[in-house]
Structure formats: C-alpha cells, structure tokens
Amino acid sequence: MPLNLGDTVPDFSCDSSVGQIHYYDHVGDEHWSILCSHPSDFTPVCSTELGTLAKLLPQFERRNCKVLALSCDNAESHRKWIKDIDASGYCGKTTSTVSYPILADEERALAVKFGMLDPEEKDEKGQPLTCRAVFIVDDHKKLRATILYPATTGRNFYEILRVVDSLQLTDEYPVATPANWERGEKVCVTPSTPDEVAQVVLGDFSVVKVPSGKKYLRLSKDPGYKTPKVLKRGMVETILGTEYGAKLLPTLGRLVVAFALGGFSSSFASSKKKEKPVLTTPQTSGWKKR
Ligand code: BEZ
C-alpha cells in the first residue's frame, strides 16, 4: 500500500554510508525528517543534489529536521561516491562533507515499501532504479508532504525548506501559506477561522476585496517571524547562502558603501527597501491545530 499524507511512516533498519541506521532511533522523538531517494551513485544530477543537501544541512537542522538520502547501491559505493561529491564543489564553502546518512537499499526493500521505484529507469541488470522522491515526516512520524520527480529533473531543496517552513508554521497558527510564499511574507487566514479568533491570535489582518463580495481572502503578517535587531557573527555567511540572502545583498551592499562614505543615516533613510527579517523558529502562540 502506498503511503498517504497523514499516515505513520513505518520504522526500518538499513545499512548506510555511516553504518546501520534504525530510522526511529536515528530521528528520535522530537525531530522532523526528510527522506530523499535518488537513482544511482556516481551520476551527475544526483551528485549535485546530495552536495547541495550537504550545503543546506544547517538550514534543515535549524528547522529541527534530520536528512536521510537513499539509493539502491551499497554502503561501500556510497562512501566512495561521497569523496567525489565532497570534491565537486556542490557542498559549498563551509561544508566539507556529506555527513548525513545515505541509505544502502540494495535489495530495494525500502524503495518498494515507500513507492520510490521508477519503472522507466533501469540499472545495467534491468532492475528499476529509485526516482527522486522526497518524504517530509513530522516529529510524530506522520508523512506530511511528498514530491516525486523523474531521474532527469534535479530537485530544488530551497523548495523543500520552504515546505517545511510552511508545515511548521501552519501547525502552530490558523494560517495557510500562499503561492510562492517565503518566511516573512504575508499569510492567508484559514477559511475555518472566524474573524474574532484571527484578530486575537494573529492581530490585524486585511480582507482583499473581490467581485463576489465574499470575504475569504484574508491576509495577515507571518506570525512566526521576527526582525532581528543585530546580525549575529557567523550568521552572515549562512544567510548570504540562502534565497533570503540573495534578496538582502543589495541592502547590505548599500550599507557597506554608506559606512565607507560616512553617510550611513542619510543613505539608509533614502532606501525604499525594508530591512528583511531573518529566520527564527516559529513562536508558539498557544494555538495548535494538531
Ligand atoms: C543523474 O543523476 O544524473 C541521472 C541518473 C539517472 C538517470 C539520469 C540522470
């Protein structure tokens, strides 16, 4: 039976690049986890994906989320391949190695259990390979989201982070995240939430006027986001490596120039762009849907 959203993800044991893994023990009772399958070791797209996952590991850790990868090659092959990935440059400047486990599902037991096999992609023996699946599992071991891509399309791991952000935020507050949402942007009040409850839990919200006259498109600020007063040392490189960082760069650049010219206040005051907030863990509002 394929796993559906909301199902409990079953426990399993499997050899891996870091030795035998017992899934429930490895993840523990308080962590989320993502399980990412890929077709095969020593292949180009998979190498870029696993390197990128290593680079983004601190961002998953910040979200209390463990990372596991999986393919149908053996653990020795994984360990040799990791040396290539480490040297490929995809792990980024601050991460030296793929430290999360790569599961060695040689018998394809997990791939079958989790519905990860792609009948279109076969190895040299004609056996089906795993596709690019992602399972996002919460701290109660419930499957919360999945994606399934073919071997020829590498995944966007910023999107996986974004989905984890959305799931964790919407577990805590009566909100849903709109198209292309990222942390710090406006969120939708869920349809089942009365105005009075939204006002108390979320504060002021706006109602978008639509021709039907129905007041269903209610927007509030992201209730799990805080604007930092100071950028802490060591955070800068991490922030600049994210999509948020890319958006921050013009403002930071202006700040540096302004400091250099000694005209900090007038230069910054003339900026039309607001300071972008950075990541914080969602604040518990007392409102919990689960
Ligand atoms: C790759 O990871 O590059 C790949 C693997 C299998 C089929 C196509 C591409």
Side-chain angles (χ1 to χ4, degrees):
M1 281 288 285
L3 279 175
N4 291 316
L5 296 188
D7 285 351
T8 300
V9 174
D11 196 12
F12 59 80
S13 293
C14 188
D15 195 12
S16 84
S17 55
V18 296
Q20 195 71 17
I21 290 282
H22 304 285
Y23 175 59
Y24 278 17
D25 287 347
H26 179 79
V27 171
D29 288 337
E30 291 172 0
H31 285 86
W32 289 55
S33 54
I34 60 161
L35 179 58
C36 305
S37 64
H38 59 268
S40 189
D41 293 0
F42 301 102
T43 48
V45 177
C46 297
S47 303
T48 65
E49 286 195 321
L50 269 59
T52 302
L53 254 181
K55 182 170 83 179
L56 296 181
L57 192 60
Q59 298 206 41
F60 283 99
E61 287 169 347
R62 213 171 295 137
R63 290 159 175 83
N64 198 33
C65 185
K66 299 228 175 170
V67 170
L68 300 100
L70 174 152
S71 85
C72 299
D73 296 294
N74 63 44
E76 188 50 32
S77 163
H78 289 342
R79 283 189 284 272
K80 286 187 183 143
W81 181 37
I82 284 172
K83 291 183 184 153
D84 286 1
I85 301 172
D86 293 351
S88 71
Y90 277 91
C91 294
K93 291 197 177 76
T94 52
T95 306
S96 57
T97 189
V98 172
S99 58
Y100 56 83
I102 308 178
L103 301 173
D105 187 28
E106 271 192 287
E107 303 303 324
R108 290 161 168 73
L110 291 177
V112 170
K113 196 177 204 167
F114 286 94
M116 291 167 167
L117 286 178
D118 180 354
E120 300 290 314
E121 286 294 335
K122 303 225 167 81
D123 66 12
E124 61 281 0
K125 293 182 200 149
Q127 288 188 293
L129 292 168
T130 30
C131 59
R132 299 189 195 283
V134 181
F135 288 75
I136 302 180
V137 184
D138 72 13
D139 47 351
H140 300 285
K141 309 288 185 303
K142 300 266 188 243
L143 180 64
R144 299 298 300 278
T146 59
I147 67 163
L148 209 52
Y149 282 15
T152 42
T153 306
R155 288 158 284 196
N156 182 338
F157 290 98
Y158 289 109
E159 171 63 3
I160 312 298
L161 287 165
R162 197 186 74 88
V163 174
V164 173
D165 281 343
S166 171
L167 290 166
Q168 293 184 347
L169 181 75
T170 59
D171 278 354
E172 293 290 335
Y173 296 94
V175 299
T177 60
N180 294 342
W181 172 87
E182 287 180 19
R183 291 196 68 181
E185 296 178 358
K186 282 189 175 166
V187 296
C188 299
V189 181
T190 52
S192 60
T193 307
D195 283 354
E196 303 72 33
V197 175
Q199 181 69 51
V200 170
V201 178
L202 303 168
D204 288 342
F205 58 88
S206 58
V207 184
V208 177
K209 285 193 180 136
V210 288
S212 68
K214 296 182 194 294
K215 296 180 174 173
Y216 58 90
L217 189 39
R218 296 172 295 170
L219 299 174
S220 94
K221 68 176 173 43
D222 177 344
Y225 219 58
K226 276 194 174 163
T227 307
K229 297 260 185 312
V230 184
L231 281 179
K232 288 195 186 125
R233 274 174 73 100
M235 282 175 67
V236 174
E237 189 174 348
T238 311
I239 293 166
L240 294 184
T242 67
E243 282 180 346
Y244 305 108
K247 288 178 190 166
L248 268 173
L249 267 177
T251 305
L252 289 176
R254 222 178 7 258
L255 272 173
V256 169
V257 172
F259 271 120
L261 297 175
F264 166 73
S265 41
S266 58
S267 172
F268 194 64
S270 70
S271 161
K272 289 232 165 29
K273 286 204 169 167
K274 280 191 205 143
E275 186 188 352
K276 272 270 177 188
V278 295
L279 297 170
T280 58
T281 47
Q283 304 297 300
T284 305
S285 63
W287 176 280
K288 200 143 169 78
K289 284 200 291 193
R290 284 187 299 128

